[in-house]
Amino acid sequence: FFSPDLHWCGLIALYCMCLFLTKVSGSGVFQLRLQEFDNVQSLLQDGSSCLPSCRAFFRVCLKHFQTVVTPGDCTFGSVLTPVLGSRSFQVEDESFRNPIQLPFNFTWPGSFTLIIEAWFSLADSQPADTKNPALLISRVAIKNQLAVGVEWFQDFHGDQQAKLRFSYRVICSEDYYGKNCSSLCKPRDDHFGHYNCDADGQPTCFPGWEGKYCQTPICLSGCSKQNGYCNKTDECICRPGWQGRFCDKCVRYPGCVHGTCEKPWDCQCVEGWGGILCDHDLNYCTHHKPCQNGATCLNTGQGSYTCTCKPGFSGVDCEHKISECDSSPCRNGGSCKDLENGYECRCPPRYSGFHCEHRTLTCADFPCFNGGSCLEISKGNSYSCVCPFGFTGSNCEKKVDRCTSNPCENGGVCYDIGHKRFCRCLSGFTGQRCEFSINKCDQHPCANGGACIDRINDYACICPYGYSGRTCAIGPKDDCASGPCLNGGTCSSEPYGIHFVCHCLVSFTGIRCEMPVITVPVPMPPAGFPWMAVSMAVGLVALLMFLCLIVIILRHIHRQRGLGQELEAMNNRSDFQRDNLIPTSQLKNTNKKMDLEVDCGMEKSNYKQKNRTLDYNLVKDLKDGLLQEDKCLKSEKCLEEEKVPLRLHSSEQHECRISTICSPRDSMYQSVFVIAEERNECVIATEV
């Protein structure tokens, strides 16, 4: 009734309508399973009792994720259960549709807000109105992240009044897949596709199908893609001009007799055939093979041939076999056997050879030499010789040479005499095989301390200075014999005559006294001046200064490390320090010729505070000193003064150091100690 085009259009429209309806029906389901509820004290939320029967039903509200849960519409859906029990009970799946189903028709956002309310029902079968807050038993509100999956998420909420145990999950609806249930995939096996769906909602083709929607069949394995095709799986349909199971063989030209093809409708003649249809015989030998018995055939044209026979055959086609035994080639009664390429003679006993021309020896012929014993074998038709010691060979004709293995080492010569062999060794070697070297130095041939070096057949001596000869026996050599000392110097030899020493006169010098001495008058110090004592004193002072420098550097490093901690502690205990620090005006200097210099600068600063003269009157008002100290504490430069020790300088630049010693806070007076040291150095210690 309908045309084919209208039929296909209708099917496509129906398919699209099905897809639309499926999307509208929902893409997933939020499932809630109530497991256990316990109203411990049989009370409502407002504190009133629900006895004698605390019948409970539940209202479930699912909405979008809220940071602060507020009342309002259940945007994801809501469910009202029947009465499930009284006071404390466990919810069975058979009691109602448990788990509770809350379907949604949108992409699952991954987060939600769930409100579970337990209400008191006045009747057994019909729940009461949920708008009356006086009938509310308990309310549970949770907000959480939840991914799509089949695993249940267990949860428990409870207080002193009511406890609720439940679990929930999100699963995709049928034909929906993916992390958010947003992928639609419907398995099918029809003209529009042949596939199932994987976990992500992607089509997975059935065996034998391929393509985006699995609409393309997979042809027979091995089917040529260029020359074949298929309409169903495991099929191979050949295109015109091709044939075979896999459509890989071309179709020859119609009527081609003895030809092949490399492309459709071709006829290429094989060897020996010609013509358009390859039906003319050009090679009689190849096609008919007339020559026999392995003969070689040669075409001579026009269907004729010639056969070249192998030895032992004759005839036009080499069909006749020639017997070479007809000439009786075997002697001494041997029998002839015809072979393919010759003949063979089978000899009688005691004869051998290709034509049985040799007579075989036996023990009766005494074949063994050099006293060898003959043994008969093969029933007397052959023999074997047992050779005496020193001989070998099939007839004991060869003498054994035991020196052929060259047993002698280091150039030794081997001799084989009788039943023994021995080695004659070269000079310097010994042993049965000349394997040991003789050490010529064992006899200590070198005299006068010479070192001996062993060689293969000799030795050599390394002589000490002054000695010579093969064994260092010549010497010693006198170096003073040639008179090396000049200008009247006397010569004396060192031990063993190795070196000499010249003793020169006062006016000459040098190794051989060859240079005159030039005298320059040198002013002499006054007699009795203590130069040695002065040198030792200077050295001692330099040593003490070096040690003091090391101490100052170490103390400076220590103060730099503790500077941060001291400053912080000073700020925290400023009141305490103000009570205990002594101003410079109150320090007492016992050396009245000295002035007190306070160096408030750091090592890299060129600034120095002006010298302050110590007040020698310790009864000066302490209050004025404390006021000065408060000003010093407020000055950053004076804080630096605390880091560097105070120094006393006089006209002679004598150095003094000031040290502070802590004392109880309630002390009214501060003690000042001036400690004198060597190098006119004094140390002032202040007790704080």
Side-chain angles (χ1 to χ4, degrees):
F1 181 77
F2 294 103
S3 65
D5 293 338
L6 293 177
H7 176 72
W8 285 111
C9 292
L11 290 177
I12 294 173
L14 181 61
Y15 175 71
C16 295
M17 186 179 296
C18 291
L19 290 178
F20 176 75
L21 293 176
T22 305
K23 288 183 179 179
V24 173
S25 63
S27 61
V29 178
F30 182 93
Q31 294 183 338
L32 172 66
R33 175 175 287 166
L34 301 176
Q35 297 172 336
E36 184 178 359
F37 179 74
D38 186 8
N39 190 354
V40 180
Q41 300 178 1
S42 300
L43 297 177
L44 300 177
Q45 191 179 45
D46 58 2
S48 60
S49 175
C50 59
L51 293 175
S53 177
C54 291
R55 294 178 294 272
F57 67 95
F58 296 90
R59 177 180 178 269
V60 180
C61 177
L62 182 66
K63 61 171 60 179
H64 57 279
F65 182 84
Q66 292 179 322
T67 305
V68 178
V69 180
T70 59
D73 294 338
C74 301
T75 55
F76 289 1
S78 63
V79 173
L80 192 66
T81 69
V83 176
L84 301 180
S86 178
R87 187 181 177 184
S88 299
F89 55 87
Q90 290 184 352
V91 181
E92 301 294 338
D93 292 347
E94 294 79 8
S95 59
F96 76 109
R97 191 179 180 185
N98 197 23
I100 299 172
Q101 309 288 333
L102 292 169
F104 54 88
N105 58 354
F106 49 82
T107 299
W108 176 248
S111 59
F112 67 96
T113 299
L114 178 65
I115 301 174
I116 305 176
E117 297 175 345
W119 292 82
F120 172 58
S121 177
L122 298 176
D124 291 338
S125 58
Q126 185 176 3
D129 187 6
T130 57
K131 295 183 180 180
N132 186 2
L135 300 178
L136 180 64
I137 300 175
S138 65
R139 175 184 285 109
V140 174
I142 61 174
K143 50 186 178 180
N144 201 357
Q145 301 285 334
L146 183 62
V148 175
V150 297
E151 297 294 332
W152 289 90
F153 185 84
Q154 303 292 330
D155 204 345
F156 174 80
H157 285 270
D159 51 22
Q160 296 181 355
Q161 180 174 342
K163 299 177 182 179
L164 176 63
R165 188 183 305 277
F166 58 95
S167 59
Y168 52 87
R169 68 178 180 180
V170 173
I171 59 174
C172 296
S173 300
E174 185 179 3
D175 300 332
Y176 283 87
Y177 302 88
K179 297 181 180 180
N180 300 321
C181 300
S182 58
S183 298
L184 175 62
C185 180
K186 299 186 68 173
R188 65 188 316 138
D189 188 9
D190 52 24
H191 180 76
F192 296 101
H194 308 270
Y195 57 86
N196 276 323
C197 301
D198 59 9
D200 295 329
Q202 299 299 322
T204 56
C205 298
F206 291 151
W209 296 91
E210 61 183 357
K212 183 177 180 181
Y213 296 104
C214 307
Q215 295 174 299
T216 304
I218 299 177
C219 298
L220 179 66
S221 178
C223 183
S224 175
K225 295 183 179 180
Q226 294 80 14
N227 308 325
Y229 65 96
C230 58
N231 295 324
K232 59 182 181 180
T233 60
D234 294 332
E235 184 181 44
C236 189
I237 302 174
C238 297
R239 302 185 187 278
W242 297 93
Q243 60 184 350
R245 175 178 173 83
F246 304 110
C247 300
D248 55 351
K249 297 179 181 180
C250 58
V251 178
R252 296 182 299 172
Y253 186 82
C256 183
V257 181
H258 300 286
T260 60
C261 65
E262 295 181 356
K263 59 183 179 179
W265 323 122
D266 194 8
C267 184
Q268 298 180 3
C269 299
V270 298
E271 184 181 359
W273 297 93
I276 297 177
L277 301 178
C278 301
D279 53 353
H280 298 291
D281 190 358
L282 303 179
N283 191 344
Y284 192 87
C285 291
T286 302
H287 302 149
H288 300 280
K289 298 180 180 180
C291 301
Q292 303 176 18
N293 298 313
T296 302
C297 182
L298 179 62
N299 289 305
T300 56
Q302 301 299 324
S304 61
Y305 63 94
T306 299
C307 292
T308 302
C309 302
K310 287 187 175 182
F313 296 92
S314 64
V316 176
D317 296 331
C318 302
E319 69 277 8
H320 301 297
K321 186 177 182 181
I322 301 174
S323 178
E324 296 183 3
C325 289
D326 294 341
S327 60
S328 301
C330 299
R331 304 177 186 178
N332 298 314
S335 59
C336 181
K337 180 181 180 183
D338 190 21
L339 300 177
E340 181 178 359
N341 292 324
Y343 60 93
E344 178 186 9
C345 290
R346 296 181 178 179
C347 302
R350 295 190 178 185
Y351 290 93
S352 63
F354 187 76
H355 296 97
C356 303
E357 68 275 16
H358 301 298
R359 185 175 180 272
T360 304
L361 297 178
T362 62
C363 287
D365 300 320
F366 302 101
C368 301
F369 300 99
N370 297 312
S373 301
C374 183
L375 298 177
E376 292 185 355
I377 58 177
S378 300
K379 297 181 181 181
N381 294 326
S382 184
Y383 68 95
S384 176
C385 292
V386 180
C387 301
F389 183 79
F391 295 93
T392 185
S394 60
N395 296 96
C396 304
E397 72 279 6
K398 298 179 182 179
K399 184 178 180 181
V400 177
D401 187 2
R402 286 170 290 180
C403 288
T404 55
S405 60
N406 296 324
C408 302
E409 301 178 6
N410 298 311
V413 181
C414 178
Y415 292 91
D416 186 8
I417 300 176
H419 300 291
K420 296 182 179 179
R421 66 179 178 184
F422 69 94
C423 294
R424 176 174 292 175
C425 303
L426 295 177
S427 178
F429 296 95
T430 185
Q432 186 177 1
R433 295 190 303 275
C434 306
E435 69 272 19
F436 301 111
S437 176
I438 300 175
N439 191 350
K440 301 293 184 180
C441 292
D442 291 341
Q443 299 177 0
H444 306 286
C446 301
N448 297 312
C452 181
I453 299 177
D454 181 43
R455 295 178 177 174
I456 296 178
N457 292 319
D458 199 0
Y459 67 93
C461 293
I462 301 176
C463 302
Y465 184 82
Y467 292 89
S468 61
R470 175 175 172 80
T471 60
C472 304
I474 303 173
K477 180 182 178 181
D478 188 4
D479 291 332
C480 290
S482 61
C485 301
L486 306 176
N487 299 314
T490 59
C491 179
S492 63
S493 298
E494 291 293 322
Y496 306 105
I498 297 176
H499 299 289
F500 65 90
V501 178
C502 290
H503 304 278
C504 304
L505 296 178
V506 177
S507 58
F508 293 94
T509 184
I511 298 176
R512 299 177 181 271
C513 304
E514 69 276 10
M515 295 185 298
V517 178
I518 300 174
T519 60
V520 178
V522 179
M524 299 298 292
F529 188 79
W531 288 103
M532 184 63 69
V534 171
S535 300
M536 293 181 63
V538 172
L540 181 59
V541 170
L543 179 61
L544 291 175
M545 292 179 67
F546 179 72
L547 294 176
C548 290
L549 180 62
I550 293 177
V551 172
I552 291 172
I553 292 174
L554 293 177
R555 292 187 61 185
H556 180 70
I557 294 174
H558 178 70
R559 287 176 179 272
Q560 289 292 336
R561 291 180 179 175
L563 178 61
Q565 298 179 357
E566 290 177 2
L567 291 176
E568 182 179 359
M570 188 179 298
N571 293 331
N572 295 334
R573 293 179 286 130
S574 60
D575 295 338
F576 178 80
Q577 291 177 347
R578 293 192 185 97
D579 295 339
N580 290 277
L581 291 176
I582 300 175
T584 57
S585 62
Q586 296 182 14
L587 295 177
K588 182 177 183 180
N589 186 1
T590 58
N591 190 352
K592 298 182 179 181
K593 295 181 180 181
M594 294 184 175
D595 294 331
L596 177 62
E597 179 183 353
V598 181
D599 189 0
C600 291
M602 299 301 290
E603 183 177 354
K604 296 183 180 179
S605 176
N606 295 325
Y607 171 78
K608 290 187 178 179
Q609 188 178 357
K610 295 182 179 180
N611 295 341
R612 297 181 181 178
T613 303
L614 293 175
D615 189 357
Y616 306 107
N617 188 6
L618 294 177
V619 296
K620 187 179 180 180
D621 190 8
L622 180 61
K623 183 177 181 181
D624 296 336
L626 294 175
L627 293 176
Q628 282 186 350
E629 184 179 6
D630 291 339
K631 296 179 180 179
C632 187
L633 289 173
K634 296 178 181 178
S635 174
E636 181 180 357
K637 186 176 298 182
C638 288
L639 288 177
E640 296 178 355
E641 291 177 2
E642 296 180 4
K643 305 174 188 175
V644 183
L646 299 176
R647 299 179 181 176
L648 289 173
H649 293 276
S650 66
S651 60
E652 298 178 358
Q653 295 182 353
H654 296 163
E655 182 180 3
C656 292
R657 294 193 303 273
I658 298 177
S659 174
T660 302
I661 304 174
C662 295
S663 66
R665 182 175 179 179
D666 55 357
S667 297
M668 181 175 297
Y669 297 101
Q670 318 300 328
S671 299
V672 178
F673 303 94
V674 179
I675 304 171
E677 297 181 356
E678 293 183 3
R679 297 183 291 105
N680 294 328
E681 180 181 357
C682 61
V683 178
I684 297 178
T686 302
E687 181 179 1
V688 180

